[in-house]
């Protein structure tokens, strides 16, 4: 009888753990996000933000400060190819995005950049 209860407890524990693992999304548990906070007279306002979503396959850029420079997110895929997305509408509502990754070739690194001239000011993000 004791052996039967112990075996039953092990089977139930295994089923619970397997159920939790099966129900958890693999890559969507962590989405990368980064912002740049150097705008305005006190250099402490958010210029914009960007990141990766959709299981590390989509990159986005959002310009949030109306100063005329813009905002960009660069990405690197697992296979080493790179690219970027600019916020197409300036600081107006809404962001811009691209989906360069796939389930087998995800975004592994990204940088968000305030496109201040003459040099972009970039911050490293971690997907």
């Amino acid at each position: 009888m004791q052996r039967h209860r112990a075996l039953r407890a092990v089977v139930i524990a295994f089923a619970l753990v397997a159920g939790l693992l099966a129900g958890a999304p693999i890559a969507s548990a962590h989405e990368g996000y980064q912002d740049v906070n150097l705008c305005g007279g006190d250099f402490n306002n958010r210029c914009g933000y960007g990141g990766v979503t959709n299981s590390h396959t989509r990159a986005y850029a959002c310009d949030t400060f109306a100063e005329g420079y813009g905002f960009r997110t660069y990405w690197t895929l697992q296979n080493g190819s790179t690219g970027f997305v600019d916020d197409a509408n300036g600081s107006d509502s809404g962001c811009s995005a691209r989906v360069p990754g796939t389930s087998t070739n995800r975004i592994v690194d990204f940088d968000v950049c305030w496109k201040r001239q003459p040099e972009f000011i970039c911050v490293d993000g971690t997907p």
Side-chain angles (χ1 to χ4, degrees):
M1 186 72 159
Q2 290 284 22
R3 187 171 177 201
H4 178 68
R5 284 186 187 167
L7 179 61
R8 183 176 176 195
V10 169
V11 170
I12 290 171
F14 179 76
L16 288 173
V17 170
L20 289 173
L21 292 176
I26 293 174
S28 64
H30 179 265
E31 301 290 347
Y33 167 88
Q34 186 64 52
D35 52 10
V36 175
N37 296 304
L38 295 172
C39 284
D42 59 358
F43 301 102
N44 199 28
N45 294 306
R46 183 165 73 170
C47 307
Y49 61 95
V52 298
T53 61
N54 297 11
S55 299
H56 301 255
T57 60
R58 175 183 175 265
Y60 65 93
C62 303
D63 187 346
T64 59
F65 198 83
E67 85 297 63
Y69 290 125
F71 208 79
R72 174 177 288 179
T73 298
Y74 289 99
W75 69 76
T76 303
L77 298 175
Q78 281 175 305
N79 69 5
S81 65
T82 61
F84 66 88
V85 60
D86 287 325
D87 187 347
N89 66 354
S91 61
D92 290 344
S93 180
C95 302
S96 294
R98 293 190 56 199
V99 183
T102 66
S103 62
T104 58
N105 188 28
R106 296 188 168 148
I107 297 170
V108 295
D109 190 33
F110 73 95
D111 296 326
V112 295
C113 301
W114 176 35
K115 294 173 26 177
R116 183 175 179 196
Q117 299 300 321
E119 286 185 29
F120 289 8
I121 296 176
C122 298
V123 178
D124 184 42
T126 304

